[in-house]
Amino acid sequence: MPSLRPKPALFNPIFRLTTSGLLRRTGAGGAVRAMDAAQVFDRESGASDEPDQRARLKIAIVGFGNFGQYLARTFAAQGHAVIGHSRSDHSAAARSLGAAFFRDPHDLCEQHPDVVVLCTSILSTEAVLRSLPLQRLRRSTLFVDVLSVKEFPRNLLLQLLPPEFDILCTHPMFGPESGKHGWSGLPFVYDNVRIGDSEDRANRCRRFLDIFAREGCRMVEMSCTEHDENAAEIQFLTHTVGRLLAKLDLKPTPINTKGYETLLELVENTCSDSFDLYNGLFMYNNNSTELLERLELAFNSLRKELFGRLHVNLRKQLFQSPDGGSSPGAEEN
């Protein structure tokens, strides 16, 4: 009778399963090759595909809403493995992007991603981070945040993550609307808060940043503190002016000027974001309160200047005689 024992080749130690589930074999020279990998460039040798395989990251996106899916589309297009997680069911959207989706955070962490990207709202970041079973992740996992403020997530990640985890704070300063025609020339701010000394961990961080560099982003390395100082004026002021104008209920007119149309676009762009985002820009950036005070002082100063000139002109009209001279008694006043 034929032997029921499994064929030795399938259990030979030179074979192993990769993180993507493909069976790979280590040859005599130590090279690792995918048994069924497609060769992208026929003119190249099989070994030439190895750097691309090694550069492939498994990226978990925590918060698979609009912005999370927006990033996932580019991650997947560049060949990275994407897995999503949210409280809401976005499994259909994930499938359309070629990504996996897990509603249970334990299932997500058991996939052992190389990178965990936090795409939550500012207000919910702490609660979401505390809900993750960190003990199920590899101890050297890279955590990345993409929030619009930076000192808050930096401090939170340093406080809650084990010291073995790497931390990269980033801010893609664009979104689905402003980046709908591509990311070329758009600023991407980052701060290597805590990256391990090993070459593998430094290389993983570079590979993640390279996703944005390859899309043409203007890569800006900046401390979290400096980012928030600049962002208070760049972002919070813009959102404040836009929402202030929205309170005026501005409408298009038949004689719109270019400047007025710009104001209408500002209202549309800022108010299309949730109030939670605007509130987060205020609550979690120490510079926002000072900026509001400066804005109020600037408005009062401008109003005082306008009314001061109005007072001078009224006095001239009240006390000027018909022949152009001053009325009797005007000097005493």
Side-chain angles (χ1 to χ4, degrees):
M1 293 182 64
S3 173
L4 298 180
R5 295 171 57 192
K7 295 181 179 181
L10 293 178
F11 293 85
N12 192 302
I14 65 173
F15 285 85
R16 64 183 179 86
L17 285 174
T18 69
T19 55
S20 61
L22 296 176
L23 190 64
R24 293 189 175 204
R25 177 171 58 84
T26 304
V32 178
R33 304 199 179 199
M35 296 289 288
D36 54 352
Q39 299 302 311
V40 180
F41 300 105
D42 290 339
R43 66 179 180 275
E44 302 287 352
S45 66
S48 66
D49 195 46
E50 293 308 309
D52 289 337
Q53 290 295 328
R54 287 195 297 268
R56 188 172 188 258
L57 294 170
K58 181 183 281 189
I59 304 174
I61 298 178
V62 176
F64 208 67
N66 289 337
F67 193 71
Q69 294 172 31
Y70 175 67
L71 293 180
R73 188 171 294 106
T74 297
F75 294 169
Q78 289 195 18
H80 300 287
V82 179
I83 51 179
H85 164 69
S86 279
R87 291 174 299 175
S88 303
D89 185 6
H90 294 295
S91 54
R95 282 194 300 271
S96 70
L97 298 172
F101 184 83
F102 299 94
R103 294 188 68 177
D104 190 315
H106 291 265
D107 294 337
L108 176 88
C109 292
E110 286 175 355
Q111 301 302 308
H112 294 155
D114 302 303
V115 183
V116 176
V117 181
L118 297 175
C119 285
T120 61
S121 69
I122 300 173
L123 302 181
S124 65
T125 299
E126 181 173 356
V128 171
L129 185 58
R130 289 184 181 276
S131 73
L132 297 178
L134 302 178
Q135 71 278 6
R136 296 185 180 274
L137 294 168
R138 291 194 182 97
R139 285 178 293 174
S140 62
T141 302
L142 170 62
F143 267 74
V144 179
D145 89 277
V146 293
L147 301 186
S148 299
V149 294
K150 292 274 68 74
E151 286 189 291
F152 165 68
R154 177 200 62 191
N155 296 340
L156 185 68
L157 293 170
L158 286 171
Q159 174 190 350
L160 297 183
L161 292 181
E164 299 84 8
F165 282 31
D166 289 347
I167 300 173
L168 174 66
C169 287
T170 76
H171 182 191
M173 301 193 70
F174 50 87
E177 184 61 30
S178 57
K180 62 184 176 183
H181 299 303
W183 300 353
S184 180
L186 299 177
F188 181 89
V189 181
Y190 67 97
D191 185 6
N192 299 327
V193 175
R194 186 174 70 198
I195 305 298
D197 294 332
S198 72
E199 181 59 29
D200 285 346
R201 292 168 75 165
N203 185 51
R204 177 181 58 189
C205 181
R206 285 193 296 266
R207 283 149 55 197
F208 180 80
L209 291 173
D210 188 57
I211 295 173
F212 298 88
R214 288 180 60 185
E215 297 297 321
C217 287
R218 181 162 55 87
M219 307 298 288
V220 182
E221 185 170 11
M222 179 182 291
S223 73
C224 293
T225 300
E226 186 180 359
H227 168 277
D228 282 3
E229 291 172 356
N230 290 315
E233 296 185 356
I234 295 171
Q235 280 195 298
F236 182 67
L237 178 60
T238 302
H239 279 260
T240 298
V241 172
R243 289 189 175 273
L244 185 63
L245 293 174
K247 298 291 186 183
L248 300 178
D249 195 25
L250 302 180
K251 304 291 184 184
T253 74
I255 55 171
N256 282 4
T257 62
K258 290 292 184 183
Y260 186 73
E261 289 179 352
T262 300
L263 294 181
L264 293 177
E265 290 176 2
L266 177 61
V267 172
E268 181 180 0
N269 290 338
T270 53
C271 293
S272 62
D273 291 321
S274 68
F275 191 83
D276 279 350
L277 170 62
Y278 177 58
N279 191 31
L281 293 174
F282 172 68
M283 290 183 62
Y284 294 98
N285 188 333
N286 291 328
N287 304 281
S288 296
T289 301
E290 179 190 353
L291 183 62
L292 274 183
E293 293 172 352
R294 288 167 51 201
L295 186 61
E296 184 177 5
L297 288 173
F299 178 77
N300 290 336
S301 175
L302 184 60
R303 182 172 60 180
K304 183 178 180 180
E305 184 177 354
L306 287 174
F307 279 93
R309 294 193 177 194
L310 176 63
H311 180 69
V312 170
N313 290 333
L314 285 175
R315 283 178 61 87
K316 285 182 179 179
Q317 293 178 18
L318 287 173
F319 297 107
Q320 190 171 21
S321 64
D323 61 0
S326 296
S327 300
E331 296 295 332
E332 289 80 357
N333 294 333

